[in-house]
Amino acid sequence: MVVVVAMPPALSLLVLLVLALHGGAGDATPPPPLRLVRGARRVAFDEGYTRMFGDGNLAVLRDGRRVRLTLDESTGAGFASQDVFLHGFFSAAVKLPAYYAAGVVVAFYLSNGDTYEKTHDEVDFEFLGNVRGREWRVQTNVYGNGSTAAGREERYDLPFDPTDELHHYSILWTRRRIIFYVDETPIREVVRTAAMGAAFPAKPMSVYATIWDGSAWATLGGRYRVNYRYAPFVAEFADLVLHGCAVDPLAVEHSASCGDEEEEAAEAVVSSAAMAAFRRGHMSYSYCHDRRRYPVALSECALTGGAASLGRLFGPDGMKRRRARRARDASS
């Protein structure tokens, strides 16, 4: 027997509002499937991942095809790949918390910090929470061999609202390069050079997805902290792709051919024009132009696509000049 309980109109409206604010009014529309790397396939959660922390705040939905991570006053949540990889293509479609999410950090990244505590490698997508009425920022970063003193951060606006629906965020990691993608657009390429040395990630890494409280730094340098009156903060993950060379992380040597297929695929999926256009229109901070942190730019900055032509858009703190932002906004 089904019992229907009528709610007062005011209460009904309040429930609908809460659901809308926290993404509970229905599943996000799935984005079109990626066509970046041939043979890459989506995996169900239990097929490729394991729960890491915040078990009560991690919900696996749709036969393992979607995962919801929640941050509340008690904890955040996260999951990690069952395998450890040396090179590959890794992707997730992500929908970010809506409304007010200052201080909230959602991340999709590769790391081996659990295995190499002081010499770890890391490749990051970090979504840095928003103040109400402002857009989310996405940050990419690369660490190699514990080189955390030399951050290689870049931050970007996004040409869409990442809280409205799912969008793909992908990392292609090969022996010679790392490429970050938003949907099918390459937004950053890090090329391995002799000058970078061990600062280029080269040890096996796991794949992670997390949501956590980054009040100390995430939104305008920590000016705006997480306000738990707006909790719970919900991030949704789908289209989980693990396409790489699974290895024993403690092995002394690994196959020389690890990553060859991904390296070949990379040659076909980098559109220099598309990447240059995205960076010109949407990059809001670049370590290569931050002369306060790095009076002498790091070696790879001279090789960054369009670095010279973009230099006039950035101030000495590495932030995009306001005039350049206004000109961009006026033309959009």
Side-chain angles (χ1 to χ4, degrees), residues 153-197:
E153 301 95 338
E154 289 186 353
R155 290 193 289 274
Y156 321 88
D157 307 323
L158 291 169
F160 50 78
D161 183 347
T163 72
D164 274 350
E165 56 188 8
L166 293 156
H167 286 270
H168 289 112
Y169 303 90
S170 308
I171 297 168
L172 180 65
W173 171 40
T174 78
R175 286 178 294 169
R176 294 187 295 176
R177 71 178 84 190
I178 295 167
I179 306 170
F180 296 86
Y181 298 87
V182 173
D183 290 327
E184 294 195 344
T185 301
I187 67 168
R188 181 181 183 183
E189 180 180 25
V190 179
V191 178
R192 186 175 194 168
T193 65
M196 282 188 73

Side-chain angles (χ1 to χ4, degrees), residues 290-310:
D290 191 340
R291 291 296 169 266
R292 294 178 182 173
R293 284 178 70 190
Y294 303 111
V296 177
L298 298 181
S299 62
E300 70 273 9
C301 289
L303 303 176
T304 300
S309 63
L310 290 175

Side-chain angles (χ1 to χ4, degrees), residues 60-322:
V60 180
L61 310 169
R62 291 199 174 184
D63 295 326
R65 298 297 172 178
R66 295 206 181 183
V67 185
R68 283 184 178 164
L69 300 183
T70 301
L71 170 67
D72 57 26
E73 288 184 276
S74 63
T75 185
F79 58 91
S81 61
Q82 297 172 15
D83 289 324
V84 177
F85 300 92
L86 182 63
H87 309 129
F89 178 76
F90 312 99
S91 183
V94 185
K95 179 176 178 286
L96 298 175
Y99 194 57
Y100 184 97
V104 177
V105 178
V106 177
F108 177 69
Y109 63 104
L110 313 177
S111 178
N112 50 33
D114 291 342
T115 305
Y116 304 97
E117 183 178 352
K118 296 183 179 180
T119 59
H120 86 286
D121 305 289
E122 195 165 311
V123 181
D124 299 325
F125 266 114
E126 294 175 310
F127 304 92
L128 310 180
N130 68 317
V131 179
R132 183 173 53 198
R134 293 191 177 186
E135 58 208 351
W136 278 75
R137 293 283 190 271
V138 58
Q139 174 170 284
T140 62
N141 205 353
V142 173
Y143 293 125
N145 205 40
S147 59
T148 54
R152 290 172 163 84
E153 301 95 338
E154 289 186 353
R155 290 193 289 274
Y156 321 88
D157 307 323
L158 291 169
F160 50 78
D161 183 347
T163 72
D164 274 350
E165 56 188 8
L166 293 156
H167 286 270
H168 289 112
Y169 303 90
S170 308
I171 297 168
L172 180 65
W173 171 40
T174 78
R175 286 178 294 169
R176 294 187 295 176
R177 71 178 84 190
I178 295 167
I179 306 170
F180 296 86
Y181 298 87
V182 173
D183 290 327
E184 294 195 344
T185 301
I187 67 168
R188 181 181 183 183
E189 180 180 25
V190 179
V191 178
R192 186 175 194 168
T193 65
M196 282 188 73
F200 186 91
K203 297 188 293 293
M205 292 190 278
S206 300
V207 184
Y208 297 90
T210 57
I211 185 170
W212 52 284
D213 185 330
S215 290
W217 66 277
T219 304
L220 297 180
R223 188 183 307 171
Y224 296 94
R225 305 178 66 82
V226 174
N227 187 336
Y228 285 102
R229 288 189 303 168
Y230 299 101
F233 305 98
V234 179
E236 185 171 349
F237 289 77
D239 286 0
L240 302 172
V241 174
L242 295 171
H243 182 75
C245 190
V247 298
D248 178 353
L250 299 180
V252 177
E253 295 183 1
H254 302 286
S255 171
S257 63
C258 257
D260 279 355
E261 292 182 4
E262 287 75 23
E263 180 69 31
E264 293 172 4
E267 302 292 340
V269 296
V270 179
S271 167
S272 297
M275 182 163 63
F278 184 96
R279 293 170 69 77
R280 185 171 56 251
H282 299 288
M283 187 161 62
S284 60
Y285 170 83
S286 168
Y287 76 101
C288 281
H289 301 291
D290 191 340
R291 291 296 169 266
R292 294 178 182 173
R293 284 178 70 190
Y294 303 111
V296 177
L298 298 181
S299 62
E300 70 273 9
C301 289
L303 303 176
T304 300
S309 63
L310 290 175
R312 60 186 173 79
L313 301 179
F314 293 86
D317 58 356
M319 299 294 292
K320 182 171 280 188
R321 299 179 189 273
R322 291 182 180 179

Side-chain angles (χ1 to χ4, degrees), residues 15-31:
V15 170
L16 290 174
L17 178 61
V18 171
L19 287 173
L21 292 181
H22 297 297
D27 287 326
T29 302

